[in-house]
Amino acid sequence: GAVVSQHPSWVICKSGTSVKIECRSLDFQATTMFWYRQFPKQSLMLMATSNEGSKATYEQGVEKDKFLINHASLTLSTLTVTSAHPEDSSFYICSAWKSTGANVLTFGAGSRLTVL
Amino acid sequence: KQEVTQIPAALSVPEGENLVLNCSFTDSAIYNLQWFRQDPGKGLTSLLLIQSSQREQTSGRLNASLDKSSGRSTLYIAASQPGDSATYLCAVLNNDMRFGAGTRLTVKP
């Protein structure tokens, strides 16, 4: 089956620092990956669509200079939260779309970011 | 832009009851619809996946239906148990996956 690994599962950082979250498809190639953010007691909101070898497409209201997405290979996408602030504290989940086969997204386990 | 709505937002039932969660979406051009469960502070657990050509899927006490033309899906939970308490999310996939706000279910012993 398709497996997506997300790392780290949780991170605590100081305000002003940058944090990188990795999303890897372990046993399949993913030309497209999606990044979601979930604030407490709210649903998952799509932040951006990450396409291998090209620039990410950001949803309205998501700052592309603050949330840097790099999808340099077919198995890895990274989300970097730059100059993190407490309001960036959230649960970040990635998902990967298998290039071939059924149209199904596989989700990572999520990364909980706490900015002090 | 696809919009997904779930009702009710919260539901509390006594153990043993059968219940129905509702999901509606605005764009019927979907590849599939998926129901997830999310426990507090945890990631997503996929429950049922219904392809656009299907009308329902069943797994144990769970049954999900899909009426693509009307933009609706229901998740039926039979004989609810306290362990079913969680937030249930509906999501539809076309060019990306969009989630509803979820239904927070509490099953009381």
Side-chain angles (χ1 to χ4, degrees):
Chain A
V3 179
V4 172
S5 173
Q6 199 171 330
H7 178 82
S9 56
W10 59 271
V11 58
I12 301 173
C13 70
K14 292 182 179 180
S15 184
T17 60
S18 295
V19 175
K20 179 185 286 188
I21 301 170
E22 293 186 348
C23 180
R24 293 181 185 272
S25 55
L26 298 186
D27 51 359
F28 66 99
Q29 293 184 331
T31 53
T32 303
M33 291 185 177
F34 301 98
W35 287 95
Y36 294 84
R37 178 169 56 182
Q38 185 179 37
F39 292 110
K41 297 187 178 181
Q42 296 186 26
S43 190
L44 284 81
M45 297 301 296
L46 180 65
M47 297 176 66
T49 302
S50 169
N51 296 298
E52 187 267 336
S54 65
K55 291 183 179 180
T57 303
Y58 290 82
E59 293 297 299
Q60 192 171 6
V62 178
E63 300 174 58
K64 62 180 181 180
D65 294 330
K66 181 170 184 60
F67 298 99
L68 301 179
I69 291 173
N70 185 287
H71 193 160
S73 78
L74 285 171
T75 59
L76 174 64
S77 175
T78 60
L79 169 67
T80 301
V81 183
T82 62
S83 187
H85 292 283
E87 58 266 30
D88 298 323
S89 298
S90 186
F91 192 52
Y92 293 87
I93 301 179
C94 74
S95 66
W97 192 330
K98 197 171 180 180
S99 302
T100 59
N103 289 312
V104 178
L105 291 189
T106 303
F107 285 81
S111 301
R112 183 163 303 283
L113 170 63
T114 301
V115 185
L116 302 176
Chain B
K1 176 183 158 184
Q2 177 76 270
E3 293 187 5
V4 183
T5 304
Q6 288 186 249
I7 54 172
L11 183 62
S12 181
V13 300
E15 182 177 4
E17 270 202 12
N18 303 324
L19 56 100
V20 175
L21 308 181
N22 297 289
C23 173
S24 61
F25 48 96
T26 55
D27 184 352
S28 62
I30 63 172
Y31 290 124
N32 58 51
L33 181 145
Q34 202 161 355
W35 283 93
F36 294 89
R37 168 185 173 140
Q38 187 176 32
D39 293 286
K42 303 291 185 181
L44 303 175
T45 299
S46 179
L47 297 174
L48 290 165
L49 169 69
I50 311 176
Q51 299 292 348
S52 62
S53 58
Q54 298 174 326
R55 294 193 65 85
E56 68 175 343
Q57 282 287 319
T58 299
S59 176
R61 294 182 293 108
L62 305 180
N63 176 277
S65 69
L66 173 64
D67 184 343
K68 203 173 69 164
S69 61
S70 68
R72 295 183 181 182
S73 176
T74 60
L75 178 66
Y76 176 82
I77 302 177
S80 58
Q81 302 171 357
D84 295 332
S85 297
T87 296
Y88 290 80
L89 296 166
C90 159
V92 294
L93 177 68
N94 35 31
N95 293 319
D96 53 43
M97 181 170 262
R98 302 279 171 166
F99 285 81
T103 295
R104 191 163 57 254
L105 173 65
T106 303
V107 181
K108 299 177 181 178

